[in-house]
Amino acid sequence: HFDVYIENELVHFRNLKAKELLAILVDSRGTVSMETAVNILWETRIYDEKVKQLYRKAVSYLNNLFKAYDVTFFVANRGSCHIKTNEITCDFYQFLEGSEQAVADYHGQYMFQYAWAEETHAQIEKRVRSWEMLKKIRKRQLNETGEV
């Protein structure tokens, strides 16, 4: 599930496409072009000025929302936007870094409300299986030799 908290307060999004754009940025680990975002957010629409305006509206919404919270991790540029990943705390990023707590907190779900996140979810599941296998091997080694 994808939620955003600022200062331990759940951020409510009135523009769900803007929230999804932010989720895409998190999933992409920082930057996404306007064309990529449009193709994901409005996949059945033709890439034209009307759909670009929808994208700009979502970007504007995020800019205004985060200004209201006085945070600067979201940056919009001409033709793309990004998040400053070093300025946020994100369980997904902690998981990728191998944080034991983030791995323990993972319960088999990743942005399940977004179909486009399935590929990342599959990668996460593969990584979990690898870590579980590694833990079993280490445990077996410890039991057999008393060493790690």
Side-chain angles (χ1 to χ4, degrees):
H1 191 66
F2 181 72
D3 281 320
V4 177
Y5 293 84
I6 297 177
E7 300 293 329
N8 295 319
E9 178 185 334
L10 178 64
V11 176
H12 296 281
F13 290 81
R14 287 183 281 127
N15 181 326
L16 295 181
K17 289 295 186 181
K19 181 179 182 182
E20 188 172 359
L21 175 58
L22 185 61
I24 292 166
L25 289 166
V26 168
D27 184 77
S28 69
R29 296 164 192 84
T31 302
V32 69
S33 70
M34 175 175 25
E35 186 172 0
T36 298
V38 164
N39 288 335
I40 294 170
L41 293 168
W42 295 280
E43 62 185 337
T44 61
R45 304 269 313 248
I46 297 170
Y47 187 72
D48 62 7
E49 282 306 312
K50 289 180 182 178
V51 78
K52 287 180 190 179
Q53 190 57 35
L54 293 173
Y55 166 83
R56 290 184 193 109
K57 182 179 176 182
V59 168
S60 177
Y61 178 85
L62 291 175
N63 268 328
N64 292 331
L65 178 68
F66 295 131
K67 278 182 188 172
Y69 280 97
D70 197 30
V71 293
T72 60
F73 66 86
F74 177 77
V75 179
N77 298 313
R78 184 171 177 85
S80 69
C81 58
H82 74 271
I83 53 174
K84 299 176 189 175
T85 58
N86 62 326
E87 292 185 16
I88 62 173
T89 302
C90 175
D91 56 351
F92 173 53
Y93 299 158
Q94 292 169 338
F95 177 93
L96 293 176
E97 293 167 359
S99 160
E100 287 186 34
Q101 186 62 52
V103 172
D105 289 343
Y106 176 72
H107 299 291
Q109 295 183 342
Y110 175 78
M111 295 194 199
F112 63 85
Q113 68 268 51
Y114 306 123
W116 52 260
E118 280 302 313
E119 183 178 328
T120 303
H121 182 239
Q123 293 170 358
I124 290 169
E125 288 294 317
K126 184 177 180 180
R127 189 174 285 208
V128 167
R129 286 190 299 277
S130 295
W131 284 334
E132 288 172 350
M133 182 63 73
L134 184 59
K135 282 175 29 180
K136 287 179 183 178
I137 291 169
R138 286 183 179 159
K139 185 176 181 180
R140 190 172 348 149
Q141 288 174 339
L142 181 61
N143 289 338
E144 291 174 358
T145 65
E147 299 176 12
V148 178

